[in-house]
Amino acid sequence: MRSKVILVITMLMMASLSHADYKDVFEREFVHKPWVGARLVEEGVCVDCHTAEDMREDYLTIPQEWKRSIHFDNGVSCHDCHGGDPDDAAVSCGTPHSGFVGTPEHIGIPDMCGKCHIGIKDSFNSGGHGKALKTTGEGPNCVTCHGSHAIQKANIDIINQVQCQKCHSYERAKIMKQALFMTEKRIGDLEDSIIELKNAGASTEEEERALFRTHAEFRTLFHSIDVNLVKNRTDEFTKKLDELETAIASIYDDLTFRRNFSGFLLLLFASMSVIIYIRQKRP
Ligand code: HEC
Ligand code: HEC
Ligand code: HEC
Ligand code: HEC
Ligand code: HEC
């Protein structure tokens, strides 16, 4: 009898332990995810001086805008874009030998951003916008569409009449949005499913990583502003997303099974306790 009780208790402990393991892993994964916002930025002398009372008034809003940005959330600070030494006020700003590059020229901005967003820079340079920017200076640069200091997570709503009609007809922009729409929507739905699964305690790291990679790869495509290229590569992305969808569906099944199994164990434990109690009461 006693060995059975021990067995049940051990099984229960294992069930709860494996659950804790899962949770640990999600939390670790969650905290490390770039978009969650692990406020790591050390505010160096750039921010100190640029928020000081005697700073030029038209510059004073810049640090506030930056603090609302996805860059702040990911530890990208003033000097990561502008150069300069964030630890030494004497050589931080306006002194080229500290690597300070200051405000970039209109056509130099893709290089500034492209230090980190390499794939996007390449895609942008190869397309109509990048070429027009280089040759005539008339193409948009990164900041035209994303802004510079209050940059937020991107999505296809950036393609809108106000934004895209400044230089040419919206019709040309709209076919691009249509070409992106279905794939973006599927990616969005899968992201929602993963969040739901994660909240329910399932292990989704692998799928999350795969989806993140696929999404990032897909979103560089826009910057080529080549509708045919987007259409041609849609099949390839559809196939990848089909595979992910299958994987996610099987996690849903697994989760349902684990829930039912835990319920079963709990019930088993409760009835065993009752039996033991009754047996012990007997003379
Ligand atoms: C993601 C890159 C990036 C980061 C981070 C960034 N900047 Fe900038 N900054 C730019 C770009 C690009 C421009 C030029 C385009 C523009 O004016 O929008 C600029 C322009 C400026 C200007 C000149 C504005 C003007 O009107 O002439 C100042 C001053 C400035 N930044 C200060 C800062 C300070 C201070 C920080 C940190 C709190 C910061 N920047 C963080 C990219 C960045
Ligand atoms: C001791 C004060 C001080 C510090 C420290 C400082 N700045 Fe500045 N910065 C200024 C002032 C003042 C101006 C405006 C100059 C003017 O009147 O145009 C300025 C202007 C700028 C500009 C726009 C003009 C340009 O040359 O392009 C940028 C960009 C900039 N700072 C970035 C930085 C960065 C990045 C850091 C940190 C590495 C930094 N600053 C540190 C005082 C400072
Ligand atoms: C020092 C590296 C660095 C520089 C320089 C930089 N970024 Fe970023 N950027 C990041 C990081 C890190 C993230 C957050 C992780 C991610 O989403 O890729 C990010 C995120 C973004 C996002 C949101 C991506 C999303 O998930 O939707 C946009 C848009 C963006 N950056 C545009 C720019 C633009 C425009 C510039 C130039 C003005 C720039 N970045 C300069 C590192 C950088
Ligand atoms: C600063 C001006 C400017 C803005 C803003 C702008 N474009 Fe363009 N766009 C151009 C120029 C210049 C060209 C290339 C010359 C041409 O074909 O007219 C171009 C070409 C295009 C093309 C055709 C590319 C090709 O190879 O045929 C598409 C698609 C396009 N833009 C989409 C957009 C979208 C989407 C937006 C808004 C998110 C936008 N544009 C905003 C300037 C701009
Ligand atoms: C004509 C407008 C436009 C220009 C110019 C532009 N972008 Fe984008 N960007 C977008 C749109 C729209 C998306 C979202 C595309 C999607 O969701 O499929 C995007 C997405 C992004 C993302 C998120 C993609 C990811 O993988 O996380 C980053 C980062 C980014 N852009 C950086 C840049 C940089 C750097 C430049 C300059 C080299 C630039 N963008 C130029 C409109 C633009």
Side-chain angles (χ1 to χ4, degrees), residues 23 41-42 68 74 80 89 130 149 162 165 183 190 229 251:
K23 237 179 141 268
V41 180
E42 293 224 6
R68 287 191 274 113
N74 286 276
D80 290 314
H149 295 117
V162 179
Q165 226 172 19
T183 307
L190 287 175
L229 179 71
I251 300 177

Side-chain angles (χ1 to χ4, degrees), residues 2 28 30 55 80 112 150 172 251:
R2 182 165 295 160
R28 243 181 294 139
F30 192 68
M55 177 49 63
D80 290 314
M112 183 196 245
R172 301 177 76 177
I251 300 177

Side-chain angles (χ1 to χ4, degrees), residues 152-168:
Q152 301 297 315
K153 220 169 143 51
N155 62 59
I156 59 171
D157 293 337
I158 296 174
I159 308 172
N160 59 61
Q161 210 142 354
V162 179
Q163 185 96 266
C164 308
Q165 226 172 19
K166 286 179 205 153
C167 311
H168 48 65

Side-chain angles (χ1 to χ4, degrees), residues 109-110 113-114 117 120-121 124 129 140-146 154-159 163-164 180 184 212 215-220 222-223 225:
I109 286 177
C113 311
H117 301 289
I120 290 179
K121 181 183 130 181
F124 172 82
H129 280 162
N141 64 31
C142 319
V143 165
T144 318
C145 298
H146 293 290
N155 62 59
I156 59 171
D157 293 337
I158 296 174
I159 308 172
Q163 185 96 266
C164 308
L180 295 168
E184 276 291 335
F212 182 71
H215 199 183
E217 202 185 328
F218 183 69
R219 292 200 299 182
T220 61
F222 165 78
H223 298 87
I225 54 158

Side-chain angles (χ1 to χ4, degrees), residues 45-46 49-50 55-56 59 78-79 82-86 89 92-93 100 102-103:
V45 294
C46 315
C49 192
H50 275 260
M55 177 49 63
R56 267 174 63 163
Y59 284 1
C78 318
H79 66 279
H82 291 291
D85 186 345
S92 59
C93 183
F100 185 72
T103 310

